[in-house]
Amino acid sequence: MPSGLEEKITRYGQRLYGLCIKLCGGKSDADDLYQETWLKVYCKLEKYDDSQPFEHWLTAICVNCYRDSLRRRRFERLIIDFPSNPEKDSVINAIPAEDSTENTELWEAVRRLPEKYRTVIILHYFRGYDVKELSAILQTPEGTVKYRLYRARELLKGELSP
């Protein structure tokens, strides 16, 4: 393992996992994203510019891995053939409910946002990144980040208003 990677996993691992959960919305996908992110960090650690904050670099890798997984899913078709509806229902009912004390209605609305809006909302409001940091992480102009935040808020208002 490259020098210092264990320390970085210890220092940033919990925050990274929290981000993975927020992006994916489920533990299984979040576990995969978390592992894929650290694997890419391991492979690209020599390319890290230590004049930049490590957490921003790590977050950018995580977001890019997440986007890659979304692209892969678009082309995959998952077909599950159940012999009967009762079997299908038993599998669906066996999926554990999400354990969250957070506002479920808000999270459902955030999850329904298009990926580019969902990502900026999560990184800005739930991870605390400002527009300049988001611009660097997402490799997107600040104006675009501001617009996406604005548009995402408008979409959420529409979803959540009575």
Side-chain angles (χ1 to χ4, degrees):
M1 187 174 295
S3 174
L5 187 58
E6 283 186 45
E7 176 203 331
K8 290 182 183 341
I9 291 171
T10 301
R11 183 170 179 193
Y12 299 105
Q14 188 172 7
R15 280 186 56 84
L16 176 65
Y17 189 71
L19 174 61
C20 293
I21 289 282
K22 299 287 186 205
L23 289 172
C24 295
K27 187 175 177 350
S28 177
D29 289 338
D31 289 345
D32 292 343
L33 179 60
Y34 181 81
Q35 291 175 3
E36 184 178 349
T37 301
W38 282 117
L39 179 61
K40 289 222 174 165
V41 167
Y42 175 80
C43 293
K44 297 181 178 200
L45 194 56
E46 70 279 350
K47 295 179 182 179
Y48 167 63
D49 175 7
D50 60 2
S51 69
Q52 301 296 317
F54 181 79
E55 189 169 8
H56 293 181
W57 186 69
L58 177 64
T59 301
I61 290 175
C62 180
V63 168
N64 288 333
C65 288
Y66 173 67
R67 287 178 175 167
D68 290 345
S69 72
L70 290 179
R71 280 188 211 102
R72 281 192 303 270
R73 286 182 191 162
R74 281 186 209 147
F75 298 106
E76 293 175 355
R77 288 190 178 178
L78 180 60
I79 299 171
I80 301 174
D81 294 322
F82 290 96
S84 67
N85 280 338
E87 280 188 51
K88 178 180 176 182
D89 293 340
S90 70
V91 170
I92 290 172
N93 291 332
I95 298 171
E98 187 174 319
D99 182 20
S100 175
T101 57
E102 298 178 47
N103 186 333
T104 306
E105 186 180 353
L106 172 63
W107 272 110
E108 287 304 315
V110 169
R111 284 191 188 108
R112 286 190 298 270
L113 289 173
E115 182 267 329
K116 64 185 176 183
Y117 301 129
R118 182 175 57 246
T119 301
V120 294
I121 287 289
I122 290 170
L123 292 175
H124 182 68
Y125 290 106
F126 299 98
R127 304 312 276 171
Y129 290 109
D130 64 27
V131 170
K132 188 172 186 164
E133 292 170 322
L134 285 172
S135 175
I137 290 168
L138 300 173
Q139 299 174 344
T140 305
E142 288 182 32
T144 302
V145 171
K146 289 177 186 177
Y147 173 76
R148 287 180 183 174
L149 282 169
Y150 166 78
R151 184 69 182 127
R153 285 190 299 263
E154 291 299 309
L155 289 169
L156 287 172
K157 280 182 200 174
E159 286 272 331
L160 298 172
S161 52

